[in-house]
Amino acid sequence: MILKSKHVYVFVLLSSSLLGASELRWDWSKIDVDAIKFSPNFIFGTAVAEHQVSGTKNSNWSRVDGAVDPKGITRIAHGDKCGIACDFWNRYETDIELLKELNVKAFRFSIDWSAIEPVQGRINKDAIAHYHDLCDALIAAGIQPVVTLHHFVHPSWFEDLGAFENESNNQYFVNFCTRMVREYGNKVALWATFNEPGVYVFQGYIMAKWPPFKHGINRAGVVTLNMLKAHIDAYQAIKSLPQGKKIKVGLVHSITHFDPYGDNFIERQGCDVLNGLFHESITKFFETGDFNWYCPVLSNIEYKNSDAKRSLDFFGINYYSHILLRVDGQVQGQAFRADEIKTDMAYCIYPEGMYRSIVDVSGRIARPQRIPIYITENGIADAKDENRELYIKRYVYAMHRAMEEGHDVRGYFYWSLMDNFEWTEGYKMKFGLYEVDFDSQKRTLRNGSKAFLRIVHNTYGTPDIKLPRMLAPAAAAA
Ligand code: BGC
């Protein structure tokens, strides 16, 4: 998430309350990040999303390939196009060999609604069969499939109906969810309705960087609320199915705290408003049933539904970093402290934030509702592979520290198995444990990723499988 000063400025000027987030810092020189041990019941996995690893054909995002903004600038950085990305759709069998090499126990992927239902009401049987094959292959390899039903992408027909701008469209999403659970409910135990509604809304309805490229704080609030309502409806519809009783259904929320850069009144106020909109609006809803979307003058949406507190079997946290808001004389937006290590994305390494997020969600939602937390995404874009090892060790340590204090975290999914298409950042962002050569589709384990392998192998043992260092999926698939 990258902040644009203009928008932050509006929030900051209009803000009226006083809270301020507390920025936690540990002295890493005194911490032994290697002295941690996980029970073999803990689930280590990796995560991907279909559009990012395979591309999609009839979706809100397939339209972005080659599209330009009103100034004629390509929507995707460097004029990149998603295309077939890593061609995971056709290469999943050899990619499962990578998962076996890692020895992870779970794999999180998204089902592409636009492949299942490319035209409204018309179900594509090949796509249905494809996901059966993928689930079967994972299960045969001893890897649990974990499904996300909406990872920023939906069919173009749904986009044309206004997607989640119109509450009446929620029924289409709910139908898709129940159809998928009827199909795959016997194979998939863990389901997320949405991936990161806050990010979807921030990028698509405030920053206008992602489809549908709109600006408007009030509309963003309406969309957020409609997605939360769709989650509750989907949860209840799934639970009423025979397959629904035995599966776990949750939602994945990205937590990116806004922290004030200095000890400054305006920064604290700005952070309070931003945290309220993109973080609290969602966590408070699941904590209390109250939805509050408040930006002075521009928007004030209130809604209550106590079913929200009974609509999660687990809480998924995606955690990458925080954002330091700096306002001194003029709004500078995102800032960095001198000693912070930057990633290739516009944020730094901040593992303490993972700990804060777990403690927060645990105290307010997970513990009171007796549900577990999963870290459904965490990873670094690091093309030079300079900081991946440090990143992995420190974030896993931060999670472990929260677990030692009694917070119920059941799993950790590294983002991502392999380099893939990073939305409007295109292909320059290298999040993969495996490097992908997009010309040959060759996957190569990165050196820094070995820190993850070691943690997983220390937990479950080292797998027998010995892959050639350069796995060539094209040859293997032939
Ligand atoms: C998203 C992923 C994305 C990752 C890295 C998360 O917000 O769920 O789709 O690739 O962050 O930016």
Side-chain angles (χ1 to χ4, degrees), residues 22-26 28 36 38 42-45 253-259 279 315-323 340 347-363 373-380 388 390-405 407-415 452 455:
S22 68
E23 190 188 337
L24 176 72
R25 293 279 176 187
W26 293 330
W28 290 97
I36 53 174
F38 287 88
F42 188 81
I43 294 177
F44 280 106
H253 175 49
S254 168
I255 301 185
T256 310
H257 294 113
F258 292 87
D259 288 330
H279 177 40
F315 196 99
I317 298 177
N318 287 357
Y319 191 84
Y320 289 87
S321 188
H322 68 161
I323 290 175
E340 281 186 315
Y347 44 71
C348 59
I349 295 183
Y350 182 56
E352 292 92 331
M354 161 99 86
Y355 171 87
R356 278 168 65 188
S357 304
I358 294 170
V359 173
D360 181 37
V361 168
S362 171
I373 293 169
Y374 287 88
I375 301 300
T376 32
E377 276 180 41
N378 174 242
I380 182 171
R388 188 167 276 102
L390 175 139
Y391 182 101
I392 291 170
K393 287 182 171 182
R394 288 192 178 178
Y395 278 79
V396 171
Y397 166 84
M399 173 183 69
H400 190 266
R401 183 156 164 169
M403 291 167 65
E404 277 193 315
E405 290 174 13
H407 302 291
D408 185 8
V409 184
R410 302 264 175 97
Y412 171 95
F413 292 77
Y414 189 81
W415 183 275
F452 182 70
I455 294 168

Side-chain angles (χ1 to χ4, degrees), residues 139 181-189 191 242-243 246-247:
I139 292 166
V181 170
R182 273 197 212 98
E183 277 298 334
Y184 310 113
N186 293 332
K187 299 179 180 180
V188 180
W191 296 74
Q243 298 90 333
K246 56 185 179 207
I247 64 171

Side-chain angles (χ1 to χ4, degrees), residues 437-448:
D437 175 334
F438 287 95
D439 293 327
S440 66
Q441 289 294 355
K442 194 173 277 188
R443 281 75 158 134
T444 310
L445 186 68
R446 285 202 163 88
N447 220 24

Side-chain angles (χ1 to χ4, degrees), residues 22-194:
S22 68
E23 190 188 337
L24 176 72
R25 293 279 176 187
W26 293 330
D27 180 352
W28 290 97
S29 68
K30 299 207 169 84
I31 293 175
D32 181 3
V33 286
D34 293 314
I36 53 174
K37 185 113 190 68
F38 287 88
S39 138
N41 294 328
F42 188 81
I43 294 177
F44 280 106
T46 67
V48 300
E50 193 72 277
H51 186 75
Q52 294 179 269
V53 290
S54 301
T56 55
K57 292 199 188 74
N58 297 291
S59 75
N60 54 337
W61 268 95
S62 63
R63 289 172 170 174
V64 183
D65 273 4
V68 292
D69 69 11
K71 291 183 191 143
I73 300 166
T74 53
R75 296 279 192 194
I76 302 170
H78 323 290
D80 286 358
K81 292 183 181 162
C82 177
I84 59 165
C86 323
D87 196 23
F88 175 72
W89 187 279
N90 296 308
R91 294 168 192 267
Y92 68 87
E93 283 175 312
T94 46
D95 285 333
I96 289 174
E97 296 301 314
L98 307 178
L99 296 170
K100 283 160 72 176
E101 179 180 48
L102 298 174
N103 205 16
V104 289
K105 299 295 170 228
F107 181 60
R108 175 174 174 240
F109 60 93
S110 66
I111 296 185
D112 174 19
W113 181 10
S114 69
I116 299 282
E117 194 177 357
V119 177
Q120 188 174 8
R122 209 175 296 160
I123 299 301
N124 177 347
K125 292 206 174 69
D126 290 345
I128 295 277
H130 169 81
Y131 287 109
H132 274 296
D133 292 346
L134 173 59
C135 290
D136 291 343
L138 287 165
I139 292 166
I143 299 162
Q144 278 190 52
V146 175
V147 163
T148 309
L149 290 156
H150 187 276
H151 197 124
F152 307 144
V153 176
H154 48 241
S156 0
W157 61 261
F158 185 73
E159 183 82 338
D160 293 339
L161 291 174
F164 297 103
E165 286 176 45
N166 305 323
E167 192 182 339
S168 58
N169 291 339
N170 281 3
Q171 56 176 313
Y172 305 120
F173 176 67
V174 174
N175 287 345
F176 164 67
C177 294
T178 50
R179 190 185 290 276
M180 294 303 95
V181 170
R182 273 197 212 98
E183 277 298 334
Y184 310 113
N186 293 332
K187 299 179 180 180
V188 180
L190 220 55
W191 296 74
T193 52
F194 286 104

